[in-house]
Amino acid sequence: MKKYVFGIDVGGTTVKCGLFSSKGELLEAWEIVTNKDNNGENILSDIAKTIDAKCAEKGINKDEVEGVGVGVPGPVNNEGIVVVAVNLGWSTKNVKEELESLVNLPVAVGNDANVAALGELWLGAAAGAKDAIMFTLGTGVGGGVIIDGKVIAGVHGAGGEIGHIAVVLEDGNQCNCGKKGCLETVASATGIVRETEKYLAATEEASTLRDLEKIEAKDVFDAAKAGDVVGIKMVDQLGRYIGLTAANLAATTDPEKIIIGGGVSKAGDILIETIKKHYQAFAFSAVRETEFVLAELGNDAGIVGSAYLAKTL
């Protein structure tokens, strides 16, 4: 009988690891350093070694393990091949095949933002739902689209790249992906600060934000909550961009829930309510009342979702 499953979340600095029961109970979480030397050639072998060590430590026979799920920061196609993961030094890499040969267990691989969405669907804010969209608002903007319990990865592994949907059609900021005007350029923490600084430079409108030596995204939300006019305008602009994107995605997928996660989501109700206001203005009537929820799993979403991905093998 299969009792266990491993969830692995590969980041640019650390690899987060989780040992779960097959029912979803997190039995232990730990981290190892992401060794990016020589274009990350040892990352997968390090993962295999830490899984083997944990099985030995816990007295787990591999016949009791359903599999290993892995989330990586880059597009992943349906064969478990990573198209590119710049932060790890990887170009095209067959992570599924390589790790299976190293660890002698079934392996499932997905994009890190996609598997975080799966985590919220399994044990987090969207538990019990089968159809959901997740926005991950942090240093960048990621996401995941889930239909009937399955992540939409697409032919090139680029399904759910919500951050690279174009929302600024003229004079947009340059995005790291090479395009201009992506959602990431205005809805990430970096984008929020850039848009605020641009507005302050273009106007003489009074704002407490002018008193700060360095503005951070949290400052913009705090100013808005305190009634600062510029803060309110910038949060409203952010909500409009995300609301528009969410409305277009909802017209395509008709989700049960739309999840807002990432560091920016810590702003809480002011963010959710502003997004919802604009979403309802843009949304097709049949999806206008779709529920918005804040992500619940935090930094564990990646290992939870990766473990769930392994259970779908």
Side-chain angles (χ1 to χ4, degrees):
M1 179 180 176
K2 306 295 185 183
K3 299 179 180 179
Y4 306 101
V5 62
F6 285 94
I8 309 294
D9 182 14
V10 184
T13 304
T14 62
V15 178
K16 298 180 177 67
C17 309
L19 172 64
F20 294 81
S21 73
S22 291
K23 294 182 179 179
E25 179 187 359
L26 178 58
L27 303 175
E28 187 171 345
W30 71 99
E31 296 181 357
I32 60 173
V33 173
T34 304
N35 183 353
K36 294 185 287 186
D37 293 345
N38 299 318
N39 293 319
E41 68 176 8
N42 295 315
I43 293 174
L44 295 183
S45 60
D46 288 347
I47 291 171
K49 287 174 185 175
T50 197
I51 289 172
D52 286 344
K54 190 58 61 178
C55 286
E57 176 191 333
K58 300 292 184 182
I60 296 171
N61 189 304
K62 287 189 177 179
D63 289 340
E64 301 176 292
V65 179
E66 287 191 66
V68 178
V70 183
V72 299
V76 181
N77 69 21
N78 290 323
E79 283 73 49
I81 298 172
V82 177
V83 180
V84 63
V86 176
N87 290 345
L88 305 179
W90 292 349
S91 53
T92 304
K93 192 173 187 66
N94 194 328
V95 174
K96 175 179 171 63
E97 185 177 275
E98 288 187 35
L99 188 55
E100 281 183 340
S101 68
L102 289 166
V103 78
N104 197 28
L105 284 168
V107 171
V109 188
N111 168 266
D112 55 357
N114 285 349
V115 299
L118 274 178
E120 293 290 345
L121 195 80
W122 187 28
L123 299 176
K130 288 187 176 181
D131 303 278
I133 297 168
M134 182 170 176
F135 288 75
T136 305
L137 310 174
T139 306
V141 173
V145 178
I146 301 170
I147 297 177
D148 197 22
K150 296 180 181 179
V151 165
I152 302 304
V155 175
H156 305 102
E161 287 288 353
I162 291 171
H164 300 296
I165 292 175
V167 295
V168 183
L169 303 185
E170 295 180 2
D171 301 320
N173 294 312
Q174 184 73 45
C175 182
N176 291 332
C177 77
K179 295 198 305 166
K180 289 185 177 180
C182 293
L183 180 65
E184 181 168 303
T185 67
V186 291
S188 63
T190 306
I192 294 166
V193 171
R194 180 172 49 231
E195 289 296 297
T196 302
E197 290 176 341
K198 185 192 300 183
Y199 184 85
L200 290 171
T203 72
E204 295 183 357
E205 199 161 356
S207 173
T208 57
L209 291 165
R210 295 188 186 276
D211 301 330
L212 302 176
E213 188 173 327
K214 181 181 179 183
I215 297 173
E216 296 184 356
K218 181 179 183 298
D219 299 321
V220 179
F221 287 105
D222 287 345
K225 291 173 184 177
D228 183 276
V229 175
V230 174
I232 291 170
K233 284 183 177 179
M234 302 319 298
V235 172
D236 191 70
Q237 175 181 287
L238 171 67
R240 189 169 189 268
Y241 284 130
I242 299 173
L244 171 63
T245 306
N248 288 336
L249 289 169
T252 309
T253 64
D254 190 11
E256 184 174 344
K257 294 188 179 184
I258 298 175
I259 310 158
I260 307 295
V264 173
S265 72
K266 293 178 181 177
D269 290 343
I270 188 172
L271 176 62
I272 288 285
E273 293 305 318
T274 306
I275 294 171
K276 189 186 298 185
K277 176 185 73 172
H278 288 289
Y279 170 83
Q280 291 180 334
F282 288 120
F284 174 57
S285 58
V287 299
R288 195 167 290 145
E289 299 305 319
T290 300
E291 184 181 3
F292 281 77
V293 293
L294 287 168
E296 296 178 353
L297 298 178
N299 290 333
D300 285 343
I303 58 172
V304 173
S306 295
Y308 181 76
L309 190 67
K311 289 177 63 63
T312 65
L313 285 165

